[in-house]
Amino acid sequence: MSEPLFVALQYVIPKLALTRLMGWLAGCRAGGLTHWVIRRFIARYNVNMAEAAEQDITRFATFNEFFTRALKDGARPLAAAAQVCPVDGAISQFGAIEQDQIFQAKGHSYSTTALLGGDAELAKSFENGHFATIYLSPRDYHRIHMPATGRLLQMTYVPGELFSVNPATARGVPGLFARNERVVCVFEDEAGKPFVLVLVGATIVGSMATVWHGVVNPPRPGTIWTRDYRDQQIVLKQGEEMGRFLLGSTVVLLYPQGDWQWNPAWAPAASVRLGEMMAG
């Protein structure tokens, strides 16, 4: 299928209905059928089960249990760096935020305010700051970990579209990551500076979850809501799990203006692994 046709189809397919159906199927306990689907998925996407804490697929009662499988101890050592990569995936884009504009793909940018659900005050903290967008493919590990130690300040659910978030759609759908459903997680680092992880939903992403809240969606109320955690001491250490996708998607990270030395090995479309140096 050509890329323009694939993008055009994104506007007409019943994305929400398809997502609900796939989310339901992924949660079904279908015994041998579930295990057959898992085997086919592993073969189709060349999933490396040698890294998994549980390698016997018959132990997974649902596809979701397999998809959000844990890694075995030591599979992702943490680099000695100020910021480490929070996921396995591929770099969509990274670099400087130009005033409030985040680069998506050739010909497309979107505003920090839009990404953050219209919170202009929060967006101002990241003017001329730094961003990284990392795409998780079906074969990747789908838990999300902390790039640095941080205290949770707030979480906001932002309803939106459910476009695919693969590279073709990023090139073809304007403002993709600020249009899709997303969960905005705001932290404060040990120096008191804010940073944000945005979990972006997509077609067939049945749900997104965080370790402090549990499953965020569904339900999908169609309105923005925010939970404030400033009166609590929820601190997650660098490398700790902070959330997960049930079926894969994208994470966008935001950092304020300041000295920033990206990993010199990083480049758009490069594969990255959880725990490797993101910035020194």
Side-chain angles (χ1 to χ4, degrees):
M1 182 185 298
S2 70
E3 187 170 304
L5 177 58
F6 173 77
V7 172
L9 287 173
Q10 293 286 309
Y11 286 91
V12 297
I13 62 172
K15 295 184 286 294
L16 179 56
L18 180 60
T19 297
R20 285 173 172 163
L21 174 62
M22 295 304 293
W24 178 78
L25 290 173
C28 284
R29 296 173 178 267
L33 178 58
T34 294
H35 301 146
W36 179 83
V37 170
I38 292 171
R39 287 189 186 95
R40 294 293 298 168
F41 187 92
I42 290 170
R44 169 68 178 81
Y45 292 105
N46 193 28
V47 177
N48 183 4
M49 290 300 291
E51 297 179 326
E54 178 56 74
Q55 298 175 25
D56 180 358
I57 66 170
T58 65
R59 297 292 187 91
F60 299 115
T62 68
F63 185 84
N64 275 339
E65 287 184 14
F66 155 73
F67 198 79
T68 58
R69 63 197 176 276
L71 294 174
K72 63 184 179 184
D73 290 343
R76 296 291 185 277
L78 296 183
Q83 299 288 334
V84 299
C85 186
V87 293
D88 286 354
I91 300 168
S92 177
Q93 299 292 340
F94 72 102
I97 300 170
E98 303 292 341
Q99 294 185 337
D100 73 335
Q101 292 294 302
I102 299 172
F103 182 66
Q104 176 177 301
K106 185 176 181 180
H108 299 304
S109 295
Y110 57 93
S111 76
T112 311
T113 301
L115 177 70
L116 299 177
D119 190 334
E121 182 177 354
L122 178 59
K124 192 172 180 61
S125 302
F126 302 100
E127 278 189 6
N128 300 310
H130 311 272
F131 80 97
T133 305
I134 306 173
Y135 166 67
L136 287 71
S137 73
R139 73 182 300 271
D140 289 319
Y141 168 70
H142 278 83
R143 298 190 186 191
I144 306 150
H145 293 247
M146 292 292 289
T149 296
R151 182 171 73 92
L152 179 65
L153 301 181
Q154 71 180 50
M155 178 179 74
T156 299
Y157 167 77
V158 185
E161 297 282 354
L162 290 168
F163 287 104
S164 168
V165 290
N166 65 26
T169 316
R171 289 188 292 268
V173 177
L176 173 64
F177 303 118
R179 295 173 69 165
N180 270 16
E181 180 181 50
R182 54 207 179 275
V183 177
V184 178
C185 304
V186 185
F187 294 91
E188 181 181 75
D189 69 15
E190 294 177 296
K193 294 182 179 179
F195 67 94
V196 170
L197 285 87
V198 182
L199 316 186
V200 183
T203 311
I204 77 169
V205 176
S207 67
M208 294 176 279
T210 64
V211 297
W212 59 85
H213 181 90
V215 173
V216 177
N217 63 312
R220 291 181 165 92
T223 56
I224 295 175
W225 56 257
T226 296
R227 301 284 186 271
D228 193 292
Y229 297 95
R230 289 173 176 82
D231 62 344
Q232 302 179 44
Q233 282 296 316
I234 301 176
V235 177
L236 299 177
K237 299 293 185 182
Q238 185 180 59
E240 277 192 72
E241 182 184 344
M242 60 77 61
R244 61 184 68 177
F245 290 113
L246 279 74
L247 305 181
S249 193
T250 287
V251 174
V252 181
L253 298 104
L254 303 180
Y255 295 93
Q257 187 175 16
D259 293 335
W260 201 256
Q261 296 180 340
W262 291 103
N263 185 338
W266 273 33
S271 294
V272 291
R273 283 165 63 94
L274 166 66
E276 74 175 37
M277 174 185 169
M278 182 169 67

